[in-house]
């Protein structure tokens, strides 16, 4: 099962809106076939491994990181292929939260006389696909908030300068977070200040995340780097009715989505609903401070990655008012991982109530 999880991790971020899945088939104590789901629309990990195993699959044992599907989607049911191949036992790391599967795959295999055990390395398997689990159960994207700050809590200087708080090694890891996301989101102030590309550039990667800009009044300059849609797709979320500028942006290949305002800001709940229907499974919110504050205040996040640089900036731009009047009202977090990159740190937090 550990090998199956390794295989699944190879495609992390590349299978959206599907989960990433790995599969290993063993016979007489030897691995006879392996497979992983490459991307949506391609054969599932189980089907690929069974194809490689051929006739040798009869009476073999399968290890798979997620419950085999039992319905027709973009591909046929994996349970049918497993039964047809004549496997004698299947180890499943975790059940699939999708109501179309959700225990039905295991039940189908057992009815066919195949032994099934569920729960082997379940925690690792659930963490690997936690974005998929949230997407399916909460019907919104899995949301990661990410920022870099000085050790005294400033995301930028008073004048808005933030390049570069952290070193190259930490920034490379930040690009890995982008590579795992379906889309990367920033507010228009970040674009006006930094003119970012919001692409994966630190290493070779076969897919670029969609860039999303929250721009209520359509202030985005038309020469902004992220409007080059040959590099990666771009979408602007706005409440503006400037039809001429919208038309120019659309002619550049930019998707413009009109959204309502709520409390002086774009309605995040409505935005997330639209992104869910667009099959944005994992949303990485990179800034700036106002945008991050709006997600935190609304409680719309599943995970934080906070990069801490060993510098002091004093008074600067930082996370804003979250409406916390007393300590018991504070948003509680649980540290899950702490990484070091030279003198920099990156700390992963998840919501305490998730545990």
């Amino acid at each position: 099962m550990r090998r199956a999880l390794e295989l699944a991790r190879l495609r992390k971020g590349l299978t959206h809106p599907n989960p990433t899945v790995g599969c290993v088939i063993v016979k007489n104590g030897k691995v006879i076939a392996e497979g992983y789901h490459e991307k949506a629309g391609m054969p599932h990990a189980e089907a690929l491994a069974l194809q490689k195993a051929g006739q040798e699959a009869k009476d073999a044992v399968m290890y798979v990181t997620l419950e085999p599907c039992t319905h027709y989607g973009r591909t046929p049911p994996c349970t049918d292929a497993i039964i047809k191949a004549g496997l004698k036992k299947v180890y499943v790391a975790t059940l699939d939260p999708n109501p179309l599967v959700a225990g039905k795959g295991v039940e189908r295999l057992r009815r066919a006389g195949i032994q099934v055990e569920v729960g082997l390395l379940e925690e690792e398997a659930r963490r690997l696909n936690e974005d998929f689990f949230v997407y399916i159960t909460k019907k919104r994207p899995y949301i990661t908030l990410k920022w870099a700050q000085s050790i005294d809590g400033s995301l930028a200087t008073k004048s808005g300068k933030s390049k570069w708080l952290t070193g190259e090694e930490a920034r490379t890891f930040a690009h890995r977070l982008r590579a795992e996301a379906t889309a990367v989101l920033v507010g228009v102030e970040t674009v006006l200040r930094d003119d970012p590309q919001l692409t994966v550039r630190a290493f070779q990667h076969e897919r670029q995340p969609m860039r999303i800009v929250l721009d209520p009044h359509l202030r985005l300059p038309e020469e902004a780097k992220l409007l080059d849609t040959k590099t990666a797709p771009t979408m602007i979320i706005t409440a503006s009715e400037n039809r001429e500028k919208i038309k120019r942006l659309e002619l550049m290949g930019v998707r413009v989505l009109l959204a309502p305002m709520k409390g002086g800001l774009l309605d995040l709940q409505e935005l997330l609903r639209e992104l869910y229907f667009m099959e944005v499974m994992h949303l990485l919110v990179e800034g700036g401070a106002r945008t991050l504050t709006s997600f935190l205040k609304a409680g719309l996040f599943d995970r934080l990655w906070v990069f801490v640089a060993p510098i002091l900036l004093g008074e600067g731009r930082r996370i804003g008012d979250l409406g916390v009047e007393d300590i018991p009202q504070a948003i509680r977090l649980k540290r899950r991982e702490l990484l070091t990159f030279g003198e920099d740190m990156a700390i992963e937090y998840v919501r305490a109530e998730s545990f």
Side-chain angles (χ1 to χ4, degrees):
M1 189 63 81
R2 291 197 187 281
R3 175 58 181 162
L5 287 165
E6 285 177 10
L7 292 168
R9 286 189 191 98
L10 294 174
R11 303 302 294 172
K12 184 62 182 171
L14 296 170
T15 61
H16 299 176
N18 289 356
T20 183
V21 181
C23 178
V24 173
I25 300 176
V26 176
K27 190 171 186 179
N28 299 325
K30 293 182 179 180
V31 173
I32 61 170
E34 297 180 339
Y36 55 74
H37 182 42
E38 187 171 342
K39 62 181 179 180
M42 297 292 283
H44 287 186
E46 305 98 305
L48 196 59
L50 287 169
Q51 182 183 350
K52 291 177 181 177
Q55 296 297 321
E56 286 294 302
K58 184 170 175 56
D59 293 326
V61 177
M62 174 180 283
Y63 297 80
V64 63
T65 59
L66 189 68
E67 180 181 12
C69 64
T70 188
H71 66 288
Y72 281 89
R74 290 181 170 109
T75 59
C78 289
T79 49
D80 290 0
I82 291 169
I83 293 166
K84 185 178 178 181
L87 288 166
K88 70 176 182 181
K89 189 168 186 176
V90 177
Y91 287 92
V92 176
T94 185
L95 296 179
D96 190 327
N98 188 336
L100 294 172
V101 187
K104 298 183 182 72
V106 166
E107 182 185 348
R108 173 90 173 90
L109 294 176
R110 285 175 175 159
R111 282 204 315 266
I114 297 172
Q115 299 175 57
V116 182
E117 288 196 23
V118 180
L120 182 60
L121 299 184
E122 182 173 14
E123 185 177 341
E124 292 93 325
R126 289 180 65 88
R127 179 170 172 178
L128 178 65
N129 275 312
E130 61 189 356
D131 48 2
F132 174 72
F133 276 63
V134 166
Y135 178 73
I136 291 295
T137 59
K138 297 189 177 180
K139 298 192 182 307
R140 64 159 172 81
Y142 178 86
I143 303 168
T144 297
L145 307 184
K146 175 237 134 184
W147 68 82
Q149 65 175 53
S150 63
I151 204 164
D152 56 345
S154 288
L155 281 62
T157 64
K158 281 200 294 187
S159 62
K161 305 292 184 184
S162 60
K163 287 189 176 179
W164 294 102
L165 285 174
T166 56
E168 186 175 349
E169 192 179 349
R171 296 199 302 273
T172 295
F173 180 77
H175 278 232
R176 296 205 174 277
L177 298 180
R178 283 183 188 170
E180 291 184 1
T182 319
V184 179
L185 181 147
V186 295
V188 68
E189 294 290 348
T190 296
V191 181
L192 293 172
R193 185 178 64 247
D194 298 334
D195 195 19
Q197 297 181 60
L198 300 181
T199 53
V200 179
R201 301 183 306 281
F203 49 86
Q204 287 293 321
H205 192 58
E206 63 189 79
R207 181 195 62 84
Q208 291 290 347
M210 176 168 65
R211 287 89 56 95
I212 301 175
V213 182
L214 300 185
D215 188 3
H217 307 295
L218 216 54
R219 295 187 293 146
L220 189 76
E222 292 174 43
E223 62 275 11
K225 290 176 183 174
L226 52 69
L227 294 183
D228 178 6
T229 54
K230 298 185 188 70
T231 306
T234 302
M235 182 167 69
I236 310 300
I237 314 293
T238 187
S240 170
E241 295 184 1
N242 185 341
R243 299 189 184 280
E244 290 186 5
K245 187 168 183 179
I246 289 173
K247 186 175 181 180
R248 289 197 303 273
L249 289 169
E250 289 176 337
L251 287 171
M252 295 167 68
V254 176
R255 181 169 183 171
V256 180
L257 181 66
L258 295 176
M261 298 287 282
K262 186 177 181 180
L265 300 169
L266 288 166
D267 187 337
L268 295 182
Q269 293 282 7
E270 184 63 30
L271 164 63
L272 294 174
R273 191 162 26 249
E274 290 291 335
L275 294 182
Y276 169 78
F277 288 117
M278 290 171 58
E279 297 187 333
V280 173
M281 191 167 93
H282 186 159
L283 180 66
L284 174 64
V285 181
E286 291 205 15
R290 188 181 184 195
T291 298
L292 289 162
T293 300
S294 66
F295 275 86
L296 286 166
K297 195 168 185 178
L300 292 172
F301 70 94
D302 300 288
R303 177 176 70 162
L304 306 180
W305 270 103
V306 182
F307 292 74
V308 182
I311 57 174
L312 297 168
L313 293 178
E315 184 182 352
R317 302 197 178 182
R318 52 185 67 210
I319 298 298
D321 179 22
L322 298 179
V324 176
E325 297 291 339
D326 200 1
I327 297 300
Q329 296 176 299
I331 300 170
R332 294 286 171 180
L333 305 173
K334 183 177 180 66
R335 193 186 75 221
R336 193 159 71 176
E337 195 162 358
L338 191 155
L339 305 176
T340 56
F341 304 100
E343 296 298 315
D344 301 320
M345 288 191 303
I347 312 166
E348 181 190 30
Y349 294 100
V350 292
R351 301 183 68 131
E353 60 264 34
S354 298
F355 282 77

